[in-house]
Amino acid sequence: MTRFRTVDLLVTVTIGAAFGVAFLGYGQLYTLIGPLTTAFKPAEGLLAGVWFLPALLAALIVRKPGAALLAEMIAAVLSMLLGSQWGWGTAISGLMQGGGVELAFLLFRYRRFTLPVAILGGLFSAVLEWGWEKFAYYQEMSWAFSFAMLGFFLLSGALLCGVLGWAATRALAATGALDAMPVGRERAQQARATATGSAAHSAPTAKDDARA
């Protein structure tokens, strides 16, 4: 297994810790929208994708096996220790969410970090988290409502985790903040290749000089 560099661990821990704190505020949304979802509880699934973001960001930025799971577990455990309303279940959710993202990148042997793979990570996390929540929190929910919730989980996982996470990673890389990471070096190589291609395309050829 590829070993973590010190910078890999620092970035992974930073992502997890930042989201662990942010999740306390995000969790309050469930309380705020409670009156709106009382009639149709499955709609809560639309919020799910944001919970998976630490895992996806770590996977896309660090690009090492285990980074997604580590970042998500740090976020979940820190959120739990700071007073998450879901208590110890938060840690189980972290395991499901981080595991889903890891599975998606494992399928491609951690060699592809494209938008479709990012979306797949969000989808896998959605399925695993939905299974855990069905068992832990929604045992009394009808299967019709449960499958509706799964649909919302999948939509949110694809968009709020997959697409948003991939776009955020690209945006951060473009600023140069990730130059020490694989995604930053990849962006720099692409920029150099584009610049070289543009220069070669614009340079006058011998035939052009002869015409002149």
Side-chain angles (χ1 to χ4, degrees), residues 23-24 28 51 76 78-88 90:
F23 280 168
L24 285 180
Q28 297 307 308
W51 298 111
L78 180 58
S79 177
M80 178 184 69
L81 293 176
L82 291 175
S84 169
Q85 66 244 53
W86 294 288
W88 63 269
T90 307

Side-chain angles (χ1 to χ4, degrees), residues 4-5 32 90-91 111 131 158 162 206 210:
F4 276 62
R5 301 172 299 162
L32 294 175
T90 307
R111 292 178 179 175

Side-chain angles (χ1 to χ4, degrees), residues 101-125:
V101 171
E102 289 283 354
L103 179 59
F105 288 95
L106 176 62
L107 287 177
F108 296 94
R109 301 178 66 181
Y110 296 93
R111 292 178 179 175
R112 294 187 61 185
F113 300 90
T114 60
L115 177 58
V117 181
I119 292 174
L120 186 63
L123 293 176
F124 282 174
S125 292

